Amino acid sequence: MHRARLFHTSPGPADAPVLLLVHGWGGDGREWSPHAEALADRFRVVVPDLRGHGRSDVPTTGNTPVEMADDLAALLGSLHTGPVIAVGHSMGGQVVNLLAVRHAAAVRSVIALDPAHGAHGAEVEGIPARLAQYRRHGSRAAAEFVAGAFGPGAPAGLRTAHVRTMLGTPDHVIAQAYAGMYTDPGAVGVRPHSEAYLRRRTQPALTVWTAAQAAAWERSTLHRPGSRVEHWPGIGHYLHEEQVERTIRLIAEFR
């Protein structure tokens, strides 16, 4: 598979610890702007757009979390970062965990925020129908999900910004990425597969869930000392943007 050219920015001191901030499905690196600005005084902050998203290459095929993780490994190698603190939201949470398993030497620790793994029950039952909608309608169908993914306290304009970004993501990328998360051979988004790959992770990990049941499940998968799971109730899926200062503190304090 050809490695995609990833648009990225990397503010902060060249000799500081490296922080990788990874967006989710249908997003781009701009959602990490306040976090990168606040943390660039103590980290070298690498903020990419994943393949098929934002200003990065848009391959015809292969727009999946596995390929995205391998792209990131190539990017980090080209930047000579050494092991990074890898932070990801939603699909980006799956991507950074895949990066940690597939390229263990590239990752020092992992922070996953409402990640796209651990699907079970009714969520799994609805995956085939959602995938069919994404294959038929692409970003228009995905924008409906985004519009309903915010808590009542979300900052003004955040929903509109994400709907616009999702609508700007190519339709084939939306469908391929969703299938790559949940239905492709080797996909790790459904709970039994999620458990198996999380147990292969050798780095300390912190996961934050907005759902109590998901948090309780993931606590049962932890095996590496220093790892933990937090539950942030009453917040929408884009928790890192609804709770910017809290997220910045979380990242700064977890090594």
Side-chain angles (χ1 to χ4, degrees):
M1 177 65 67
H2 172 68
R3 296 273 63 84
R5 180 196 58 82
L6 301 185
F7 174 83
H8 64 281
T9 55
S10 54
D15 59 349
V18 180
L19 181 65
L20 175 69
L21 301 178
V22 182
H23 67 81
W25 184 57
D28 65 32
R30 287 177 294 182
E31 65 195 58
W32 291 107
S33 295
H35 313 79
E37 187 171 292
L39 292 164
D41 63 341
R42 70 196 93 171
F43 296 98
R44 179 184 177 192
V45 187
V46 178
V47 187
D49 290 350
L50 295 171
R51 66 162 54 204
H53 294 72
R55 296 154 188 80
S56 289
D57 283 353
V58 184
T60 303
T61 60
N63 295 287
T64 66
V66 166
E67 296 300 336
M68 292 169 185
D70 290 353
D71 287 343
L72 290 177
L75 173 65
L76 297 174
S78 72
L79 296 174
H80 306 290
T81 62
V84 304
I85 303 163
V87 184
H89 167 254
S90 191
M91 182 183 75
Q94 187 177 128
V95 170
V96 296
N97 275 301
L98 285 165
L99 177 67
V101 171
R102 294 171 65 84
H103 305 276
V107 178
R108 173 180 169 182
S109 59
V110 179
I111 301 175
L113 307 174
D114 235 21
H117 62 230
H120 75 296
E123 183 181 2
V124 173
E125 293 168 5
I127 286 172
R130 286 192 292 274
L131 179 56
Q133 285 291 98
Y134 299 144
R135 285 175 169 161
R136 184 175 298 117
H137 301 294
S139 61
R140 287 172 295 163
E144 295 180 11
F145 161 77
V146 170
F150 297 88
L158 187 59
R159 177 182 286 104
T160 297
H162 273 283
V163 168
R164 285 175 57 87
T165 304
M166 181 65 84
L167 289 171
T169 306
D171 291 342
H172 74 283
V173 173
I174 293 299
Q176 289 175 20
Y178 189 82
M181 284 188 276
Y182 297 110
T183 66
D184 284 353
V188 299
V190 175
R191 188 161 292 189
H193 305 295
S194 304
E195 291 171 350
Y197 100 95
L198 289 174
R199 290 198 172 99
R200 292 174 59 198
R201 192 177 52 196
T202 58
Q203 305 87 345
L206 166 59
T207 304
V208 181
W209 286 101
T210 58
Q213 196 279 339
W217 160 73
E218 186 151 343
R219 287 190 186 101
S220 71
T221 73
L222 298 181
H223 63 281
R224 177 63 164 78
S227 296
R228 72 177 195 271
V229 174
E230 292 191 9
H231 172 220
W232 292 5
I235 305 170
H237 179 57
Y238 292 85
L239 67 166
H240 61 307
E241 294 179 278
E242 293 193 25
Q243 298 279 319
V244 172
E245 294 301 324
R246 187 179 183 183
T247 303
I248 290 169
R249 289 195 302 271
L250 182 90
I251 293 169
E253 294 169 359
F254 185 77
R255 301 301 180 91

